[in-house]
Each structure stands twice: as structure tokens, then as C-alpha cells.
Amino acid sequence: MTGPLVAVTRAVDDTKAVGAALAALAQAGDIVLLSGDLGTGKTAFTQGFAAGLGVTEQVVSPTFTLARDYDGRLRLHHLDVYRLDHLQEAIDLGLAELTDDGGVTVIEWGEVVIPTIPPDYLEVRLSYGEADDDRVVELVTVGVRWQARVRSLEAAIGPWRGGT
Ligand SMILES: Nc1ncnc2c1ncn2[C@@H]1O[C@H](COP(=O)(O)OP(=O)(O)OP(=O)(O)O)[C@@H](O)[C@H]1O
Ligand SMILES: [Mg+2]
């Protein structure tokens, strides 16, 4: 891929819809890393992603628990590693086993744990756009798993395509 795929959302429901559209492409063992400043919509994206997996339970921010699991078409592991102080804590979380149990793992502030996971994941970078409720959503594939689906990713975010 030459550069990130870029989507622009104009409301929280758009970001949820992007998450849901990407969830339709998710396969067992996938990892999605969410990066972006406070309040850019990582949890909102995950809520949409969960809905796209058919999760009916309400998805809440796992900030104080680090990890929560939800049942859907695939099991969803939702982590928020903002509070991790040391890489050792990420290792202790057992990410390798989590990502290997047939579910899908979505990690907020995921860039922190990159050294502890296989170099094969979708990175979703969220940032603030021009207007208050605008968000820029950039997709970067790392490794072959998501790269193989890059055309589907492109199609999935079609309604919100922006930037380059
Ligand atoms: N286009 C948009 N996409 C996503 N969220 C939006 C958008 N416009 C406004 N918002 C608001 O921004 C906030 C995003 O909060 P959210 O908890 O999803 O962010 P976060 O990145 O998970 O934050 P944290 O870093 O605290 O975990 C919500 O209050 C949501 O309503
Ligand atoms: Mg959050």
C-alpha cells in the first residue's frame, strides 16, 4: 500500500459506522490497534466494530479493567492499555494468547503494545478534523493479514473516503 487509506467522519455515528463496516471484514485472530488522542473516538469506533460483529451487549470503555470480552460472530477482546506503565505489564496481559484464541482483538492506545504482538495488524489512527465533530480515520496495514484485504478495506470505507 502506498499510503494510509483515509476516511473523514462528521459525527460519532459515522465513526461507529466505519467501525461496523470494518468488522464485516474481520477474521479469527485479527488484531486492530487504535491510536489517537483522548476523545478522538477510539471507544466509539470499537462500539461500532462490536455492533458489526453482532455484539448486543453494551460496549463500555475498559480503561479501569484493561480488557473486556464480548460475544459476537467472533469473540471480541476489547483492551485499553492507556494505563500500562511498563511494557512488562503488556506482556503479562498475555496478548499473544488472547489474539490466538479465535477471536478478534481491538486495543485502544495499541501503539504501546506493538513490541509485544506479531507484526501483523490493522492500525486505525484517529485524529481531530477541522470542525468539532470531524475526525480523520487513517487505516494502515502492517503485515499480510490485513494487506490481503486492502481492496475490501478501501470499499468498506468508501462512503467516508477523504484526503488522498
Ligand atoms: N466524528 C466523531 N467520531 C467519534 N466521536 C465523535 C465524533 N464527533 C464527536 N465525537 C465525540 O467524541 C467523543 C469520543 O469519545 P471516545 O470515548 O470514543 O474517545 P476515545 O478516543 O476512546 O477516548 P479515550 O482516549 O478517553 O479512550 C464522544 O463524546 C463522541 O460523541
Ligand atoms: Mg476510549
Side-chain angles (χ1 to χ4, degrees):
M1 181 157 58
T2 49
L5 297 173
V6 184
V8 178
T9 68
R10 309 223 175 264
V12 62
D13 285 346
D14 286 348
T15 298
K16 290 182 182 176
V18 170
L22 297 185
L25 306 177
Q27 298 172 2
D30 280 342
I31 303 173
V32 179
L33 297 189
L34 302 179
S35 60
D37 289 342
L38 288 168
T40 45
K42 299 179 293 297
T43 299
F45 174 96
T46 307
Q47 288 166 339
F49 192 92
L53 287 178
V55 171
T56 52
E57 203 181 332
Q58 195 197 340
V59 172
V60 296
S61 177
T63 301
F64 296 99
T65 51
L66 284 179
R68 286 177 192 266
D69 283 356
Y70 301 91
D71 282 320
R73 170 175 74 82
L74 297 164
R75 195 156 176 76
L76 172 65
H77 306 298
H78 180 201
L79 285 78
D80 183 326
V81 296
Y82 180 63
R83 279 162 186 276
L84 288 192
D85 293 324
H86 304 287
L87 206 51
Q88 186 58 43
E89 294 177 69
I91 296 165
D92 293 345
L93 270 177
L95 278 178
E97 295 90 77
L98 255 195
T99 58
D100 205 26
D101 76 345
V104 182
T105 305
V106 174
I107 311 176
E108 297 192 37
W109 300 98
E111 65 271 32
V112 172
V113 300
I114 286 173
T116 73
I117 62 170
D120 211 338
Y121 51 84
L122 178 68
E123 184 172 354
V124 179
R125 297 179 187 157
L126 290 144
S127 56
Y128 291 102
E130 281 168 30
D132 283 355
D133 289 350
D134 287 1
R135 299 291 187 274
V136 181
V137 185
E138 293 181 297
L139 305 181
V140 178
T141 65
V142 174
V144 295
R145 293 182 64 98
W146 284 99
Q147 179 59 34
R149 283 168 269 171
V150 72
R151 297 234 176 274
S152 305
L153 285 172
E154 220 172 331
I157 64 161
W160 304 277
R161 270 316 275 286
T164 46

